[in-house]
Amino acid sequence: MKRLPLPSARSLRARLTLGLVVLLALSCLAVGVATTAALKGFLVRRLDQQLTAVGGHFPASLDPARVSEASASGPDTRGQSAGTFGACVLRGSVTQAAVVRDRTETAVPLNASDRKNLTHIPADGQGRSVHLSALGEYRLTGIRGPAGDVLITGLPLQPVEDTVRRLQLVEAVVFGAALLAAGIAGALGVRLSLRPLRRVAATASRVAQLPLGGGDVAMPQRVPDTDPRTEVGRVGGAFNRMLQHVEDSLARRHASEQRLRRFAADASHELRTPVASIRGHAELALRSRASVPGEVRHALVRIQCESVRMGELVDDLLLLARLDAGRPLAGEPVDLTRLVLDAVSDARAAGPEHRWVLELPEEPVVLRGDERGLQQVLTNLLANARTHTPAGTQVTLRLAERDGNVELVVQDNGPGVPEALQAEVFQRFVRTDDGRARSAGGTGLGLAITHAVATAHGGRVDLTSRPGHTAFRVCLPCRLEP
């Protein structure tokens, strides 16, 4: 049996159910109070009618001799019901007070408060509720006697109170069962009524989990509840229109990005030939034995250097375009330890003024991936540390295997990356300012390529930087599907 999830105290379902139960409880309370008051009033009126019918016969018959005879001779034969109270008040003083018990008249002890209450009862025949210390709550009425005294007759209110309490108990049980049933039925009804909102929330959650920044995204199915005559239907319709707008915007953006990537790829591919041609002609001219003026030779050297730099930029752009297009990488076993040794050797030759430290595990680290891409990651990170730190900086390259992943860390003790640039350092054409001294310029694509290659291998690259400590950490899975 599937258990229904309990709603949170702050959820709309809980508040609606609680509101329904509270309203029903208030209605039950109002009904209970009204019926109890009506029943009590009815029973008290019946009691007053009985007192009117009895009149003053019982208190009129009270005198010392008769009361003594009744006590001595046995049961009273005047037909008074058990609990009937009688008292005589003459000139503001209670002369006699008795009650019928077991068909016998029994004198009632009265304290000062009882006597005061009895003397204040007028001879108008109207019923009044009075508390007697020896008997409890009584309904009393007074009439004028033949001797000018006030004859007070009373009946106990205990039967009325017992009846009212039984009614209250029955109402409590019935109303409690009704509230419980209404709470369960209300919770189920509210849950059923809020099902369209849950579908909207579920669709929104699926949309929130989509990689909306990763290109073409398939949006989930629309919410089926779109009846404009209901509030939930209007919410569903507005949500569907929002999803359609988002889908159209993503499609247009993806199409624009695809056109831009094709343009970058095509332009990079087309530029490789003329750049190579310019570089070749410059090298051929420099090799000529003919006498060349110094200014012309200097211009040819600059043309050769800039053509080499432009060729590297074209290669980087072409690689990024291929990675953006999602082309699969090579899936061959790569000895990452050998690549690290070669990369550090090349970096030491290019930057002899830096101190290079290498930390490798005892066993070779081999993973499946693209050798050329991983080699470029190492080259870019070491070149970044070399060109953006002053001479004498210590650069440490650490390679290790942890928790089924390969961790590659390039760390230096240079001035660090400015905090304002750390969030966008892996974006394209982002270059640091003078906070990190540079001896040579860069294209701003090295770290972008590093991030793209690491992501294409199913890994990630992170940056931790502060003055005196900068670390680029590349984490790659040990095994990749070819």
Side-chain angles (χ1 to χ4, degrees):
M1 182 178 178
K2 183 178 179 181
R3 294 182 61 186
L4 296 177
L6 295 177
S8 172
R10 296 183 180 180
S11 66
L12 180 60
R13 174 186 166 193
R15 285 182 289 173
L16 289 177
T17 305
L18 181 61
L20 176 64
V21 172
V22 168
L23 288 178
L24 184 59
L26 293 177
S27 301
C28 291
L29 179 62
V31 171
V33 171
T35 55
T36 300
L39 177 62
K40 186 173 183 179
F42 171 76
L43 294 177
V44 169
R45 287 193 296 273
R46 289 287 302 271
L47 207 60
D48 291 343
Q49 293 175 1
Q50 294 179 21
L51 291 174
T52 301
V54 171
H57 299 292
F58 179 56
S61 64
L62 293 177
D63 60 71
R66 188 178 181 108
V67 172
S68 301
E69 293 174 1
S71 300
S73 61
D76 183 24
T77 58
R78 285 172 292 176
Q80 301 296 333
S81 60
T84 303
F85 172 80
C88 297
V89 178
L90 181 62
R91 300 184 191 90
S93 176
V94 179
T95 59
Q96 298 293 335
V99 65
V100 177
R101 289 179 178 171
D102 297 330
R103 298 174 181 256
T104 303
E105 299 173 4
T106 303
V108 178
L110 301 175
N111 58 21
S113 178
D114 295 336
R115 294 179 181 277
K116 180 180 180 181
N117 290 333
L118 292 175
T119 57
H120 283 80
I121 295 178
D124 56 0
Q126 300 295 325
R128 289 171 176 80
S129 298
V130 177
H131 178 77
L132 300 176
S133 59
L135 301 177
E137 293 291 333
Y138 260 70
R139 190 71 176 175
L140 303 179
T141 183
I143 61 175
R144 183 66 62 182
D149 55 352
V150 178
L151 304 178
I152 298 175
T153 307
L155 289 173
L157 284 172
Q158 185 65 34
V160 175
E161 298 294 339
D162 293 341
T163 303
V164 171
R165 277 195 292 269
R166 284 196 296 271
L167 174 63
Q168 291 174 342
L169 179 61
V170 171
E171 287 179 340
V173 173
V174 173
F175 290 160
L179 287 176
L180 180 60
I184 297 175
L188 294 177
V190 171
R191 178 182 175 83
L192 183 63
S193 301
L194 294 181
R195 186 170 56 181
L197 283 182
R198 291 198 301 274
R199 284 197 285 261
V200 172
T203 305
S205 298
R206 290 195 296 270
V207 173
Q209 295 173 358
L210 294 175
L212 299 181
D216 192 13
V217 177
M219 301 298 289
Q221 289 184 340
R222 303 299 188 262
V223 179
D225 307 283
T226 57
D227 188 356
R229 295 173 297 179
T230 64
E231 292 81 357
V232 176
R234 289 195 290 271
V235 172
F239 187 77
N240 287 343
R241 290 192 296 272
M242 182 190 69
L243 286 183
Q244 187 62 45
H245 178 68
V246 171
E247 187 175 23
D248 294 342
S249 300
L250 290 176
R252 288 194 298 269
R253 190 191 70 177
H254 180 67
S256 176
E257 290 179 351
Q258 289 296 100
R259 289 193 297 269
L260 182 60
R261 289 170 181 170
R262 284 196 298 268
F263 170 77
D266 294 342
S268 301
H269 182 74
E270 294 298 328
L271 284 174
R272 297 180 72 181
T273 300
V275 169
S277 178
I278 293 173
R279 179 179 177 182
H281 283 292
E283 292 177 351
L284 181 61
L286 289 174
R287 293 176 184 176
S288 175
R289 296 181 179 179
S291 177
V292 179
E295 294 180 357
V296 176
R297 178 171 294 275
H298 176 72
L300 291 175
V301 171
R302 295 307 306 156
I303 290 174
Q304 181 187 19
C305 293
E306 293 302 319
S307 63
V308 171
R309 184 165 176 263
M310 183 175 291
E312 294 175 352
L313 175 60
V314 170
D315 291 340
D316 290 343
L317 289 174
L318 187 58
L319 175 60
L320 286 173
R322 290 173 178 173
L323 292 175
D324 289 340
R327 295 186 183 181
L329 297 174
E332 56 187 5
V334 179
D335 187 351
L336 196 58
T337 303
R338 180 180 58 83
L339 292 183
V340 168
L341 290 172
D342 294 341
V344 172
S345 178
D346 296 340
R348 183 179 288 111
E353 69 279 1
H354 286 68
R355 290 180 295 166
W356 302 92
V357 179
L358 184 60
E359 298 180 6
L360 297 176
E362 296 181 358
E363 297 295 331
V365 177
V366 180
L367 55 79
R368 185 177 295 275
D370 184 82
E371 182 174 358
R372 184 173 178 273
L374 295 175
Q375 183 178 13
Q376 192 159 6
V377 167
L378 292 170
T379 302
N380 290 341
L381 291 178
L382 292 175
N384 178 76
R386 174 174 52 83
T387 57
H388 293 77
T389 57
T393 301
Q394 177 176 310
V395 181
T396 303
L397 194 152
R398 186 183 307 110
L399 179 64
E401 288 190 54
R402 294 181 181 176
D403 301 328
N405 294 323
V406 175
E407 188 175 83
L408 177 68
V409 180
V410 177
Q411 176 182 331
D412 66 71
N413 58 356
V417 180
E419 186 176 356
L421 292 177
Q422 292 183 16
E424 55 185 24
V425 73
F426 295 108
Q427 297 180 9
R428 299 172 188 183
F429 302 107
V430 173
R431 298 173 64 176
T432 59
D433 58 10
D434 294 336
R436 284 170 66 100
R438 298 182 303 166
S439 59
T443 61
L445 295 177
L447 294 180
I449 292 175
T450 299
H451 181 270
V453 172
T455 303
H457 279 80
R460 68 180 189 277
V461 56
D462 302 319
L463 167 64
T464 302
S465 182
R466 61 180 182 271
H469 175 83
T470 298
F472 287 89
R473 180 174 287 99
V474 180
C475 186
L476 301 173
C478 288
R479 297 295 180 185
L480 288 176
E481 292 296 331

